[in-house]
Amino acid sequence: MRVADYAVAATPKTIVTIGLGSCVAITLHDPVAGIGGLAHVLLPSEAMSRERENRAKFACTAVPLLIEQMQALGARLARMQAKLAGGAAMFTSLIATPALQMGERNVMAARDALQLAGIPLVGQDVGGDFGRSVYFSVADGTMRIRSVRRREIVV
């Protein structure tokens, strides 16, 4: 999966996205139905882009998009759980301002969208200054997160 893209699937599928820097992977999982979705979010909100048609591009629209697509497969909102990965500060040495980095803004926007939807955040691996790749298992909702700079972790 690419940047500003999403996928939903039923068991037994693994959804993969690579190259998360300041981007955030948002995963939703309905453990009873065995349905999951992942969005590779580029920006916190539509206000930050001229091109706004792609709902997977923004944290504020990607969460409702995943919910809709998962419900179409039989998932229920009341059973959904979320996990986040990414949101790194990739170029801190190049930016002199103490303002929030794009990665932090993406994480905050994803958390806000999940809270608005009433979906609990049950796991995360966010921040830092390194990139990540995510392997999301729809069968059990686990995220395997790989990075060049550290060992693989499971969330």
Side-chain angles (χ1 to χ4, degrees), residues 45-124:
S45 73
E46 297 161 300
M48 300 188 77
S49 177
R50 289 185 196 153
E51 298 193 21
R52 300 176 179 161
E53 298 78 32
N54 180 357
R55 293 172 63 196
K57 186 175 184 177
F58 312 102
C60 64
T61 54
V63 169
L65 174 63
L66 288 175
I67 293 168
E68 291 167 15
Q69 297 296 312
M70 288 174 60
Q71 286 176 324
L73 292 177
R76 290 195 181 159
L77 179 60
R79 298 188 302 231
M80 290 184 193
Q81 301 174 338
K83 294 182 181 179
L84 301 176
M90 298 299 290
F91 306 105
T92 54
S93 62
L94 302 176
I95 300 172
T97 178
L100 282 179
Q101 298 287 326
M102 186 58 68
E104 292 173 291
R105 293 171 73 180
N106 280 334
V107 170
M108 289 173 53
R111 287 179 181 151
D112 289 347
L114 292 168
Q115 184 175 19
L116 184 64
I119 300 173
L121 179 61
V122 298
Q124 62 183 346

